[in-house]
Amino acid sequence: MVKKDSLIRGTLILAAAALIARVLGLFQRVPLDYMFSGPGNGYFGIANTVYLYLLIIATAGIPSAISKMVSERYALGRPREAQRIYRAALLFGAVTGVLLSTLLYIFAPYYASSFVRTPEASSSIRAIAPALLLFPIIAMMRGYFQGRQMMSAGGISQIVEQIARVLVGIGLALVVLNLGWTDRWISAAATFGSVFGSIGAFLVMLYYARKLKRSDMEEERSLGRGERESAAASEAAAPPVRLRSIYKEIFTMSVPIVFTAMTVQFIYLIDSTFFIRWTDSYYSAYDTASRIRDYLIFNAQSIAGIPPILAIALSQSIIPVLSAANSVGRLDEVRKQASLVMRIVVFTGVPAALVLTVGAHSVNGLLFSDPGASGVVAALTIGTIFQITMMTSNSILFGLGNPRPAMISAIIGYAVKIVGSLALGPLLGGYGFIIASMLCFMIITWLNMRVIQDKVELNVLGRRWPAYLLTIVIAAAAGYGTDMTVRGVLGSILPSKLVFFAGTVATGAVMGIFYLFLLIALGVIREADASSFPGPLRKILLPLVRRFGRRETEAQGS
């Protein structure tokens, strides 16, 4: 019999898979940047952006809906109905995969030339299109396995997918590079690695499907005759389920999730698709606009994807916790857990974004070949603070069983992004697009928090906000000064990469020390807060708070 995963273990598996995927994604872009001699990183970024956006439309939310529907049917003793839902989902995934991959391949030249105004990117888009054949099916299978409480299947398939994608993509790019081909084909070879990633993930899912089928057969054989007859009678008593009703149930549940899940990819799609068109009055030359766009969609998006990693993990884990408490009317527990997760996000996500922002020159120079992207990297990374709060507030609303307001907030945010980019792009160029993205995240967060506060009144920091703001200002100033000093002192002595490495390490260390000390010394983190944090954080913070923090009586007075 296949062992099922507990909630905590399943969450850890999915969070670890997401973390590994982010790290491997960054690992792939770094060597590719040094292979390209021209605008190849832009071709690669354009292809990946449109591919990921279409993939989210095809799959986001549907696996969650399938998971819920399958788990409910098995709980009711109707496994055949669950299997019918699974087969309907696989059919939808197969049809969607063929349709999307075909359309993307056919319209790639038109999209690249007419919208993105980068015709050379069409080869990379066409190279990645076949990956859409299998990924919708894989997403349906992951949803089914989650419904059967087998999170390890989806997590391991995701890890295998990323390893195959990165290794094969870099390997093919090296082969093409040694053949002396241009950036256009190096980028196409690298993006074709996603096809092998999909094959690897699909093989893993087939292995688990076969394993689960054997387990189900063994479990059925182990039942007594009376139990089998009772199960058959229960199945027969249930009304037959039509495909139409299955798809209606799936889409009713998944549509709000799709709108909220694709927010970041929607923003990236707007940036890569319309950047050249909407900034042509700001930049005097096409090459300049193309270079800034490549900074944004290749360098900046890679680094800006690091701070939200913890928020993604928290967003996955908080939904079932809040849902369980809300379903039995325990609003005090809902308030406590929602406030806690927002507090953890503030304490961890903000400093991560700040370190990468104030040390952007060193971080970007260490990873990539062109330090000129540092300004764009810094601007986009600081905006992830609001991206993190947006993601967390979305999850709180889903945990409260109220996804519709999150969907409406996302749609309003999309409009803000489009209008903001149209208005600010001609005035500020790339920074106009970034400001529009920040406004989108801020508006969605604000709208979400209004709905949440109507349901439960959160207490994130209360009257400690001024002390917290003072903490991040001082820590950021110390980090920026450290980075400038290290680069100024070592710039004429060591090779540039070593200088950037020293600047990155020193900035992170100084900011971390200042930030942690000031949080405790100014009473932002108190013993009660540290005691409520997850185990690893609690073990680090509790001794420090007790040694350097303000006394509880002093804290109550403030």
Side-chain angles (χ1 to χ4, degrees):
M1 183 175 178
V2 177
K3 184 179 179 180
K4 296 180 180 181
D5 296 316
S6 67
L7 175 61
I8 295 176
R9 183 173 184 269
T11 300
L12 290 175
I13 290 171
L14 295 177
L19 176 61
I20 293 172
R22 290 292 182 113
V23 172
L24 288 174
L26 181 62
F27 173 77
Q28 183 186 30
R29 293 194 176 204
V30 172
L32 286 176
D33 190 45
Y34 292 91
M35 296 184 199
F36 296 132
S37 58
N41 50 9
Y43 309 155
F44 181 86
I46 290 167
N48 271 279
T49 299
V50 66
Y51 160 75
L52 290 173
Y53 181 73
L54 290 176
L55 186 62
I56 286 179
I57 291 178
T59 62
I62 297 178
S64 298
I66 295 170
S67 172
K68 185 175 185 297
M69 292 166 66
V70 167
S71 63
E72 287 177 349
R73 266 59 174 194
Y74 269 93
L76 294 172
R78 302 207 295 261
R80 291 181 184 176
E81 187 174 324
Q83 292 296 317
R84 182 166 175 79
I85 293 170
Y86 180 39
R87 289 193 293 270
L90 291 178
L91 176 62
F92 174 79
V95 172
T96 303
V98 171
L99 183 63
L100 285 180
S101 60
T102 303
L103 291 175
L104 184 60
Y105 188 89
I106 292 173
F107 289 103
Y110 176 74
Y111 171 77
S113 58
S114 299
F115 286 89
V116 188
R117 294 187 178 180
T118 309
E120 297 84 357
S122 61
S123 300
S124 297
I125 298 174
R126 281 185 158 177
I128 207 172
L132 286 171
L133 281 170
L134 289 178
F135 270 123
I137 298 176
I138 294 168
M140 306 305 144
M141 297 176 77
R142 286 172 178 168
Y144 173 74
F145 283 117
Q146 288 177 19
R148 298 294 304 273
Q149 298 180 39
M150 290 179 60
M151 275 69 167
S152 55
I156 293 173
S157 71
Q158 190 174 356
I159 294 171
V160 170
E161 166 207 330
Q162 293 298 326
I163 292 174
R165 179 180 69 85
V166 171
L167 293 181
V168 175
I170 293 177
L172 291 175
L174 282 171
V175 171
V176 173
L177 175 66
N178 290 327
L179 291 174
W181 293 10
T182 63
D183 280 7
R184 176 173 187 165
W185 302 110
I186 296 173
S187 173
T191 55
F192 193 65
S194 295
V195 179
F196 288 87
S198 69
I199 294 172
F202 186 61
L203 292 176
V204 171
M205 299 308 292
L206 287 179
Y207 165 77
Y208 274 97
R210 186 176 180 181
K211 185 177 180 180
L212 182 58
K213 185 176 181 180
R214 286 201 305 265
S215 174
D216 288 342
M217 292 174 64
E218 292 174 2
E219 185 175 352
E220 186 175 350
R221 284 196 296 265
S222 67
L223 295 175
R225 181 177 178 181
E227 292 175 309
R228 286 199 297 268
E229 290 178 353
S230 175
S234 177
E235 288 276 359
V241 183
R242 299 179 181 274
L243 280 178
R244 182 176 178 180
S245 62
I246 292 174
Y247 289 133
K248 181 180 179 181
E249 186 175 353
I250 289 175
F251 293 132
T252 300
M253 296 171 59
S254 63
V255 167
I257 302 176
V258 171
F259 274 98
T260 56
M262 71 181 188
T263 302
V264 175
Q265 285 304 322
F266 176 83
I267 287 173
Y268 289 173
L269 184 72
I270 294 295
D271 291 343
S272 64
T273 303
F274 298 107
F275 190 94
I276 302 294
R277 183 186 300 272
W278 292 350
T279 61
D280 55 2
S281 62
Y282 182 84
Y283 298 109
S284 57
Y286 170 85
D287 289 344
T288 303
S290 177
R291 186 177 73 255
I292 301 300
R293 179 202 60 197
D294 295 349
Y295 288 164
L296 177 60
I297 68 175
F298 193 85
N299 302 54
Q301 289 178 8
S302 300
I303 295 174
I306 297 174
I309 288 176
L310 179 61
I312 293 172
L314 285 170
S315 297
Q316 290 177 322
S317 61
I318 194 62
I319 292 177
V321 174
L322 293 180
S323 180
N326 186 60
S327 63
V328 294
R330 296 170 57 192
L331 293 184
D332 287 341
E333 182 66 16
V334 171
R335 183 184 304 108
K336 176 184 175 182
Q337 294 297 331
S339 299
L340 175 62
V341 74
M342 288 296 293
R343 199 174 300 130
I344 293 174
V345 163
V346 168
F347 286 153
T348 58
V350 172
L354 284 176
V355 167
L356 295 174
T357 299
V358 300
H361 192 90
S362 291
V363 174
N364 177 73
L366 175 64
L367 296 176
F368 299 108
S369 59
D370 188 353
S374 302
V376 176
V377 170
L380 188 66
T381 304
I382 193 67
T384 59
I385 292 174
F386 305 106
Q387 178 187 340
I388 290 169
T389 56
M390 174 199 73
M391 295 168 64
T392 308
S393 61
N394 281 338
S395 296
I396 292 174
L397 284 175
F398 278 102
L400 293 174
N402 206 6
R404 183 176 174 81
M407 179 183 71
I408 295 173
S409 299
I411 294 172
I412 295 172
Y414 298 163
V416 170
K417 168 62 181 175
I418 294 172
V419 174
S421 298
L422 268 170
L424 298 176
L427 298 176
L428 301 173
Y431 292 103
F433 273 71
I434 293 173
I435 292 172
S437 299
M438 292 175 63
L439 290 174
C440 171
F441 295 142
M442 293 169 69
I443 288 294
I444 294 175
T445 299
W446 177 67
L447 292 173
N448 285 348
M449 293 304 296
R450 287 185 61 189
V451 178
I452 293 170
Q453 292 287 13
D454 287 340
K455 179 77 174 179
V456 290
E457 187 174 350
L458 301 185
N459 180 20
V460 182
L461 289 180
R463 289 184 290 179
R464 290 175 280 174
W465 278 110
Y468 179 74
L469 294 175
L470 180 62
T471 296
I472 62 175
V473 168
I474 295 175
Y480 182 75
T482 300
D483 185 51
M484 294 288 289
T485 302
V486 170
R487 287 190 287 113
V489 172
L490 301 180
S492 58
I493 303 174
L494 299 176
S496 60
K497 289 297 179 183
L498 289 179
V499 174
F500 292 141
F501 176 76
T504 300
V505 173
T507 300
V510 169
M511 276 198 65
I513 293 170
F514 268 83
Y515 180 76
L516 187 57
F517 175 76
L518 290 173
L519 281 181
I520 296 171
L522 296 180
V524 181
I525 290 183
R526 299 169 182 172
E527 187 171 342
D529 298 320
S531 300
S532 64
F533 286 167
L537 280 176
R538 184 170 62 247
K539 290 179 181 178
I540 296 173
L541 290 176
L542 261 181
L544 296 174
V545 172
R546 288 168 177 167
R547 175 67 178 85
F548 301 106
R550 300 170 65 181
R551 296 180 183 274
E552 198 66 29
T553 54
E554 296 175 358
Q556 291 173 358
S558 60

